[in-house]
Amino acid sequence: MPDDPIASELLIRGVRFPNRVLRSSIGGRNCNIDGSVTDVWKNFEKRFAEGGVGGIVSTTFHVDQSRLSPLQYPSIALPAHVNALRRYLPQIRRDGATPYIIQIGDPGYTTYSSLLPEDTDGLSSSDGIDLAFGYANRRRAMSQAQIETAIANYAAAAARAREAGADGVEITAAKGYLIHQFLNPGINTRTDEWGGTADKRFRFLECIMQAVRQAVGPDYLVGVRLSAVDHNQDPLALWLLRLPWHFAPVERRLGNDLAQMGSYAQRLEALGADFLHVTAGFGFPNPHDVPGRFPFEEVRMFFDSVRHLSGKASARAALAHLAPTGLLDWLTNIGWEAGRAVNLPYASAIRQRVGIPVICNGGIQDRATIENALQSCDMVSMARALIADPGLVGDMLALKPPRLAPCTQCNKCVGRTATSPLGCYDRTRFASDSAMVAAIAAFNAGDVPDSK
Ligand SMILES: Cc1cc2nc3c(=O)[nH]c(=O)nc-3n(C[C@H](O)[C@H](O)[C@H](O)COP(=O)(O)O)c2cc1C
């Protein structure tokens, strides 16, 4: 189609994106236990490049080898991780036809799982209790030395991403991960130079941004994934604050608002960020990041799988079995609903405050929604719609109807990400149980060895 806004190229810091739709981060258990990537991971990612997306943002690659979570997610915390990436990235990037951006992050206290309980899995900006996210009974404030190590980990990881042949890095300051734990006033209650004011809460991200830029040089693509509004008052996130909730100051109850995040966005631009990838909410999952249903049964499966790790994890799993499933499913779905381009108003508002490209994420699946989003943002990114149909973008660009049924935002894939092979678990989209299982197996297939 002439002048198709979706098909138009975009050049950011020397990287040429052939169209405006990125594959957003999708993580699954497709790597080795040490976090090195595998042929299963490579085949998974390659599928989206072949399906026509304009670029891929990876799942979170861990920057700290002592906090690998969920298990079998990828890591870039060690020099040895570069080798397998070097081997597989060219097949995904297809000589740069599909740029590949490695997202780097550290879950801090929201660490989901571990083989055995580990002290470092509870580290965060401040002490506190969170009944919903992470498995550690309490989160604990990092020391000055631990903060400095964490910053250095990000820089080293970014340098490795460049060495491995990735086109850029995305620092995740969203998702309730460690950087977000410093930014969010509900979590960060420090009174030293790392907290206490909006400026000081930003300092951790600022130091990481500076260290990463220094490690990769001025000519390398560096973006940041930001939560535009924290929504601490959301049902799940509510559990993260120390009670009594009603007596907490407003800022702690609500978290950062759009005005605050807009000013952080401007500071990131001044620090040399090349793009901002905008989502919303705190913690994964949350209804502003993955609009749709709360996948209660799948999350309960996950709770059961980590109940051995702490008193909190055990109590949480027990609670999830206390009442009939239907009742708990209904209760946990309060505040959750399906939606299209749910974060577009936020992404557009941030775009008005910065001069760098802004990527809009959350509930995007069809051409009309993408075209509308591109009127006020530079790119969009999609995750679940592409799990449902990895060829969706290619077909959209060729003006062909989608080949597969659309994503229903049931979020079963989200609930199962830490326990099961990655794929679509919405049985209503398949003709039979075995068809669904076959599709999931195909999504997780390794290379077939040579018969010779
Ligand atoms: C199975 C699954 C795994 C995900 N893993 C990550 C991740 O590792 N890092 C991240 O920033 N977002 C992750 N996300 C969030 C997506 O990147 C995206 O923000 C979210 O699904 C909303 O976009 P969508 O409506 O297009 O699915 C994941 C989403 C899904 C469904």
Side-chain angles (χ1 to χ4, degrees), residues 285-296 298 329 333 335-343 361-366 369 381-389 392 405-415 423-429:
N286 85 72
H288 302 275
D289 187 10
V290 281
R293 283 193 61 72
F294 179 73
F296 172 72
E298 288 72 20
D329 183 62
N333 263 285
W336 286 75
E337 59 180 344
R340 280 187 194 179
V342 289
N343 299 318
N361 172 254
I364 295 170
Q365 168 147 244
D366 60 280
T369 308
S381 70
M382 306 197 298
R384 293 166 299 166
L386 295 173
I387 296 179
D389 184 355
L392 187 64
C407 167
T408 61
Q409 301 189 340
C410 73
N411 280 329
K412 289 177 190 291
C413 58
V414 170
C424 177
Y425 287 84
D426 181 357
R427 176 64 182 75
T428 66
R429 293 187 58 256

Side-chain angles (χ1 to χ4, degrees), residues 24-25 27 59-60 103 175 225 289-290 361 363 382-384 414:
S24 188
S25 307
T59 182
T60 317
Q103 187 191 71
K175 222 180 159 189
R225 184 164 165 117
D289 187 10
V290 281
N361 172 254
M382 306 197 298
R384 293 166 299 166
V414 170

Side-chain angles (χ1 to χ4, degrees), residues 166 238 244 307 310 318 320 343 353 413 423 442:
L238 192 112
R307 64 186 307 160
S310 68
N343 299 318
R353 294 189 62 171
C413 58

